């Protein structure tokens, strides 16, 4: 099944949900580690999206300055 590309905002919201889940004292160590790894992966993806947006913005600013 093809995974749909999530927006930056959706990724951040998912990370918040995972953080709330990790705050549950009844969460098992195994499940907590899975959620932690999932959260780290989501944050890496969101960071990559943010860096790409910054790069695009910088390129547009440079292009505008040359015009």
């Amino acid at each position: 099944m093809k995974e749909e590309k999530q927006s930056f905002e959706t990724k951040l919201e998912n990370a918040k949900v995972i953080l709330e889940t990790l705050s549950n004292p009844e969460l098992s160590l195994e499940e907590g580690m899975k959620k932690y790894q999932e959260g780290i992966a989501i944050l890496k993806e969101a960071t990559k999206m943010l860096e790409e947006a910054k790069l695009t913005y910088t390129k547009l600013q440079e292009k505008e300055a040359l015009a």
Side-chain angles (χ1 to χ4, degrees), residues 2-47:
K2 185 178 177 185
E3 185 176 318
E4 290 184 35
K5 186 174 180 179
Q6 294 180 338
S7 71
F8 177 79
E9 294 80 9
T10 301
K11 288 185 185 299
L12 288 183
E13 188 60 38
N14 289 342
K16 282 186 201 179
V17 169
I18 289 172
L19 181 60
E20 289 173 6
T21 302
L22 289 172
S23 298
N24 182 349
E26 295 180 9
L27 186 66
S28 72
L29 178 61
E30 183 178 346
E31 187 62 29
M33 290 303 298
K34 286 179 186 177
K35 288 294 182 183
Y36 176 78
Q37 290 173 341
E38 183 182 341
I40 293 297
I42 289 171
L43 290 176
K44 282 183 182 180
E45 292 169 5
T47 299

